[in-house]
């Protein structure tokens, strides 16, 4: 059965690539959202086989999923750090969720930005399938997670947002009581400035108010001109909380590790998942998520990109890179029950250097310079 499923998924990748190639002109045109519907029809029509593959293969194969991001940027060599841990590597197809976002309706400025992201994601998906040769697969994981049980956990996301405040009982009450940033600060719990992260480059050395204003300016295309501070704050924070619950549910259901490139997504996932430590699988998920995020942060992609992806994965296997990292962490007294980014980082840096050295010693020649990418 495993071989049949693997062959089906391999063929599915080729068919998806061909569909995207056909749809890209439509994605560029005014009817881009109807093209997104065709993508979802494609995924839904193959849903049963995809679920079987996830449950019987992915869930038992030390799998990592690239998720909570707009796309895996092949042009920036982001495929290299992604494949350093685990045996199976999946990209949670962002295109499968864009039609849901588009259906909500936004002004032209946001719609144009969304269309730009859609096209970049489609082009990147094609490159992943063509260039990664099956080492990275594209599947719609979070599209599969729309169940009654998931909806119950999404309500927990609302509770998590409300828990940031005193004397606010639900989201409706939040909007009744909060309009300006001063209202938000008046109801906010003590220490909220240490919990909330607004953007990838959030500077926590400046005041909470300055950070909020900077985030609003950076994300201005997301807001209507007359949006209140309360709506802007809600949009900036609540989306990440809900996203974290969605990622958490998918990863628990299919026993895979979220590879979170984005610092904000990573921080909210770690914050939200703390509440579910009683789940047996979660400590390992959180631990490996933290390690993989630090690999992304600390990895010298240029050093890896001198070689083909096939060569890198071969050397990763030769040096037993994953075992090397976990052994190093054990020696340092770090475990899934006792870890932090600061404790993990030295071992990650040391093991990455071992990998760079092993690649230099490898007989395979580095890739020639690429004139076009």
């Amino acid at each position: 059965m495993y071989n049949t499923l693997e062959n089906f998924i391999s063929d599915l990748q080729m068919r998806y690539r061909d569909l995207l190639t056909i749809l890209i002109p439509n994605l560029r045109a005014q009817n881009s959202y109807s093209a997104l519907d065709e993508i979802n029809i494609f995924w839904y029509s193959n849903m049963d086989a995809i679920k079987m593959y996830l449950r019987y293969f992915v869930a038992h194969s030390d799998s990592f999923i690239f998720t909570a991001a707009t796309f895996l940027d092949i042009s920036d060599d982001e495929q290299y750090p992604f494949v350093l841990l685990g045996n199976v590597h999946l990209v949670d197809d962002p295109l499968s969720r864009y039609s849901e976002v588009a259906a909500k309706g936004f002004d032209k400025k946001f719609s144009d930005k969304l269309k730009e992201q859609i096209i970049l994601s489609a082009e990147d998906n094609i490159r992943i399938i063509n260039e990664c040769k099956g080492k990275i697969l594209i599947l719609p994981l979070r599209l599969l997670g729309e169940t009654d049980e998931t909806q119950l956990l999404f309500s927990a996301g609302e509770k998590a947002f409300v828990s940031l405040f005193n004397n606010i009982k639900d989201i409706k009450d939040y909007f009744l009581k909060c309009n300006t940033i001063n209202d938000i600060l008046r109801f906010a719990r003590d220490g909220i400035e240490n919990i909330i992260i607004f953007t990838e480059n959030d500077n926590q050395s400046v005041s909470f108010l300055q950070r909020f204003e900077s985030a609003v300016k950076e994300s201005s295309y997301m807001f209507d001109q007359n949006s209140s501070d309360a709506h802007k704050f809600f949009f900036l924070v609540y989306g990440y909380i809900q996203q974290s619950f969605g990622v958490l549910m998918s990863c628990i259901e299919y026993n895979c590790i979220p590879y979170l490139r984005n610092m904000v997504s990573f921080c909210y996932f770690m914050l939200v998942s703390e509440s579910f430590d009683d789940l047996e699988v979660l400590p390992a998920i959180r631990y490996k998520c933290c390690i993989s995020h630090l690999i992304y942060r600390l990895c010298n992609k240029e050093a890896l990109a001198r070689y083909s992806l096939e060569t890198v994965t071969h050397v990763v296997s030769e040096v037993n890179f994953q075992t090397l990292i976990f052994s190093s962490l054990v020696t340092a007294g770090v475990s899934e029950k006792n870890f932090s980014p600061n404790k993990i980082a030295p071992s990650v840096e040391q093991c990455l250097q071992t990998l760079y050295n092993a690649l230099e010693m490898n007989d395979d020649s580095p890739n020639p310079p690429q004139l076009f990418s």
Side-chain angles (χ1 to χ4, degrees):
M1 182 180 73
Y2 289 153
N3 287 340
T4 302
L5 278 173
E6 285 189 277
N7 291 337
F8 177 84
I9 294 298
S10 179
D11 177 67
L12 189 69
Q13 299 294 293
M14 298 302 108
R15 289 193 283 131
Y16 187 43
R17 177 200 62 189
D18 294 343
L19 175 65
L20 291 178
T21 302
I22 293 169
L23 290 179
I24 276 183
N26 291 335
L27 289 170
R28 295 184 186 279
Q30 293 300 318
N31 58 343
S32 61
Y33 299 144
S34 65
L36 290 176
D37 290 337
E38 290 192 51
I39 289 169
N40 278 355
I41 290 170
F42 172 84
W43 286 130
Y44 278 121
S45 65
N46 294 285
M47 194 67 78
D48 289 344
I50 293 171
K51 285 183 177 180
M52 284 184 65
Y53 178 74
L54 292 170
R55 285 176 181 148
Y56 292 104
F57 190 82
V58 168
H60 304 281
S61 302
D62 193 16
S63 303
F64 283 73
I65 177 165
F66 183 95
T67 188
T70 51
F71 60 95
L72 187 153
D73 194 349
I74 292 285
S75 64
D76 195 33
D77 299 317
E78 291 193 343
Q79 67 273 33
Y80 285 94
F82 180 39
V83 300
L84 298 187
L85 294 184
N87 297 318
V88 174
H89 303 89
L90 308 174
V91 171
D92 185 6
D93 185 17
L95 292 174
S96 67
R97 302 303 295 264
Y98 276 135
S99 59
E100 178 185 325
V101 176
K104 295 179 180 178
F106 294 96
D107 62 23
K108 186 178 184 303
K109 190 175 181 181
F110 184 88
S111 295
D112 288 346
K113 188 77 173 179
L114 180 61
K115 181 182 286 189
E116 179 185 323
Q117 290 298 323
I118 289 168
I119 293 167
L120 287 172
S121 296
E123 291 174 339
D124 201 62
N125 280 355
I126 291 171
R127 289 193 64 180
I128 290 169
I129 295 169
N130 283 339
E131 298 178 28
C132 295
K133 311 296 184 186
K135 295 187 183 301
I136 299 175
L137 302 174
I138 302 168
L139 292 173
L141 237 75
R142 280 192 295 146
L143 191 67
L144 308 179
E146 297 174 353
T147 64
D148 291 340
E149 185 177 340
T150 305
Q151 292 304 317
L152 288 174
L153 276 176
F154 278 177
S155 70
E158 296 188 12
K159 292 178 182 177
F161 178 80
V162 171
S163 72
L164 298 172
F165 303 94
N166 294 309
N167 301 320
I168 289 180
K169 60 184 179 181
D170 54 31
I171 289 177
K172 182 179 179 180
D173 196 33
Y174 163 78
F175 282 112
L176 284 173
K177 293 177 177 176
C178 296
N179 183 54
T180 68
I181 187 63
N182 288 329
D183 295 331
I184 291 169
L185 291 172
R186 181 156 53 92
F187 285 99
R189 289 185 179 275
D190 290 342
I192 192 174
E193 67 278 1
N194 299 320
I195 297 173
I196 298 299
I197 297 176
F198 290 116
T199 66
E200 185 79 4
N201 301 310
D202 206 353
N203 181 2
Q204 296 202 333
S205 67
V206 302
S207 72
F208 186 81
L209 178 59
Q210 287 176 290
R211 289 167 52 207
F212 172 72
E213 290 173 345
S214 177
V216 167
K217 185 176 180 180
E218 183 177 325
S219 306
S220 60
Y221 66 91
M222 295 182 179
F223 310 120
D224 292 334
Q225 189 173 2
N226 298 320
S227 293
S228 67
D229 288 345
H231 278 90
K232 292 170 182 174
F233 180 87
F234 179 80
F235 198 95
L236 288 168
V237 174
Y238 182 68
Y240 281 110
I241 291 175
Q242 289 289 49
Q243 179 191 72
S244 294
F245 277 106
V247 169
L248 180 63
M249 281 309 301
S250 296
C251 290
I252 290 173
E253 183 171 2
Y254 298 114
N255 191 31
C256 53
I257 310 301
Y259 179 92
L260 301 174
R261 175 186 67 190
N262 182 279
M263 173 67 79
V264 188
S265 297
F266 169 72
C267 290
Y268 278 106
F269 176 82
M270 298 303 283
L271 178 67
V272 163
S273 60
E274 279 182 1
S275 305
F276 296 88
D277 259 353
D278 55 327
L279 295 175
E280 186 178 348
V281 299
L282 200 54
I285 288 175
R286 285 168 47 81
Y287 186 44
K288 291 181 179 180
C289 175
C290 188
I291 294 170
S292 64
H293 177 75
L294 286 169
I295 285 176
Y296 171 77
R297 290 281 158 193
L298 299 172
C299 180
N300 181 348
K301 290 181 292 186
E302 292 181 0
L304 299 181
R306 292 174 53 224
Y307 306 87
S308 69
L309 191 64
E310 186 176 11
T311 296
V312 170
T313 54
H314 172 71
V315 174
V316 163
S317 178
E318 271 195 339
V319 302
N320 212 344
F321 181 75
Q322 181 160 310
T323 300
L324 198 65
I325 281 188
F326 285 113
S327 297
S328 175
L329 289 168
V330 168
T331 301
V334 182
S335 70
E336 63 185 39
K337 295 182 179 179
N338 174 35
F339 73 90
S340 69
N342 287 340
K343 290 179 179 178
I344 292 173
S347 292
V348 169
E349 289 184 313
Q350 179 185 4
C351 293
L352 283 171
Q353 189 58 56
T354 299
L355 177 62
Y356 305 147
N357 294 341
L359 281 165
E360 289 181 5
M361 297 289 291
N362 191 269
D363 291 335
D364 290 347
S365 299
N367 282 339
Q370 297 290 318
L371 296 179
F372 302 100
S373 58

